[in-house]
Amino acid sequence: SQQGEEDPQALSIQEGENATMNCSYKTSINNLQWYRQNSGRGLVHLILIRSNEREKHSGRLRVTLDTSKKSSSLLITASRAADTASYFCALGGSNYKLTFGKGTLLTVNP
Amino acid sequence: GAGVSQSPSNKVTEKGKDVELRCDPISGHTALYWYRQRLGQGLEFLIYFQGNSAPDKSGLPSDRFSAERTGESVSTLTIQRTQQEDSAVYLCASSRVLAGVRGETQYFGPGTRLLVL
């Protein structure tokens, strides 16, 4: 099954700045989810966007999906040191699995 | 329960020994997934269970790996004759129903960090 590819692999910003991460994929999807992982432990679901949606918001998070370009972006506005984590996109395709990318490591410097 | 729990948190074992990892899903969640995450890598799907249906074992890397789940409760992942390349974090996740195409959220446990010496 396909895997999403996050870009960049690592991102370092200052507190208060916005962080943008991208996820590209190759075949059609039903939905795309973003998860956060702190310190190599369990993942926490952030937001889900379905293939017929173009944009969703949740607090300081904004997700876009462009199915024609097969890409999604996650924007975190007004970042905080606590946002430091790895962020993964997960693809929901035609089966019952979620396929995770390798993640973007975000570091927010105070 | 309040969330997905896994035990042990950490496990150090010697090459060739068998290990058993445990996952307690959220009560009422019919679907349970196991993943492996090597250092600095993404999540590698191992197996999923849905209720009493036959599990999808397509991600198990070798016949040394097996998993069981009784009904909609606890699951155990067993690795026999461990090898050094088995060293990784093993993550369990549960969801109300199967995820993927259904767009269900997966709720993850904290993982078991396995180190094979």
Side-chain angles (χ1 to χ4, degrees):
Chain A
S1 57
Q2 69 166 322
Q3 182 178 42
E5 291 187 15
E6 290 93 343
D7 169 64
Q9 290 186 330
L11 178 62
S12 182
I13 60 174
Q14 295 299 122
E15 210 164 23
E17 294 180 339
N18 296 340
T20 300
M21 288 157 269
N22 303 295
C23 173
S24 60
Y25 55 93
K26 294 182 178 175
T27 62
S28 63
I29 60 170
N30 178 278
N31 61 86
L32 187 148
Q33 304 184 33
W34 285 91
Y35 286 80
R36 183 185 72 211
Q37 183 179 39
N38 291 87
S39 304
R41 286 297 191 174
L43 279 72
V44 174
H45 179 260
L46 296 176
I47 196 165
L48 176 149
I49 188 164
R50 298 190 185 276
S51 59
N52 61 352
E53 298 175 310
R54 292 297 168 257
E55 185 172 314
K56 286 189 81 169
H57 296 82
S58 177
R60 293 183 297 113
L61 304 180
R62 172 177 165 250
V63 170
T64 61
L65 179 64
D66 186 335
T67 52
S68 65
K69 294 182 179 178
K70 291 186 168 53
S71 70
S72 173
S73 67
L74 171 67
L75 169 67
I76 304 173
T77 60
S79 64
R80 306 166 181 168
D83 294 329
T84 294
S86 290
Y87 292 81
F88 294 87
C89 65
L91 310 176
S94 59
N95 55 34
Y96 297 121
K97 302 173 190 175
L98 277 181
T99 307
F100 289 81
K102 294 186 177 181
T104 291
L105 176 60
L106 172 65
T107 302
V108 181
N109 302 299
Chain B
V4 179
S5 60
Q6 292 186 246
S7 61
S9 296
N10 297 280
K11 176 72 177 178
V12 180
T13 190
E14 293 179 350
K15 178 181 173 181
K17 295 281 180 69
D18 297 351
V19 295
E20 193 171 276
L21 312 180
R22 177 187 168 107
C23 173
D24 283 87
I26 292 173
S27 178
H29 280 194
T30 63
L32 186 148
Y33 292 74
W34 283 99
Y35 296 92
R36 178 170 69 179
Q37 185 180 31
R38 292 198 166 107
L39 187 64
Q41 300 297 310
L43 275 68
E44 176 187 2
F45 165 79
L46 297 178
I47 186 170
Y48 74 65
F49 298 88
Q50 165 64 32
N52 293 315
S53 301
D56 181 335
K57 305 179 181 179
S58 60
L60 295 178
S62 76
D63 58 8
R64 295 187 296 105
F65 288 72
S66 63
E68 291 184 350
R69 185 186 188 197
T70 304
E72 296 179 1
S73 62
V74 170
S75 175
T76 55
L77 176 68
T78 301
I79 309 173
Q80 296 179 309
R81 304 181 302 282
T82 52
Q83 303 294 313
Q84 288 182 331
E85 64 260 28
D86 299 334
S87 296
V89 176
Y90 290 83
L91 292 160
C92 172
S94 71
S95 53
R96 284 188 317 119
V97 293
L98 284 172
V101 65
R102 293 178 176 169
E104 284 289 321
T105 295
Q106 291 194 342
Y107 296 85
F108 282 80
T112 293
R113 185 159 287 155
L114 174 66
L115 177 61
V116 182
L117 301 176

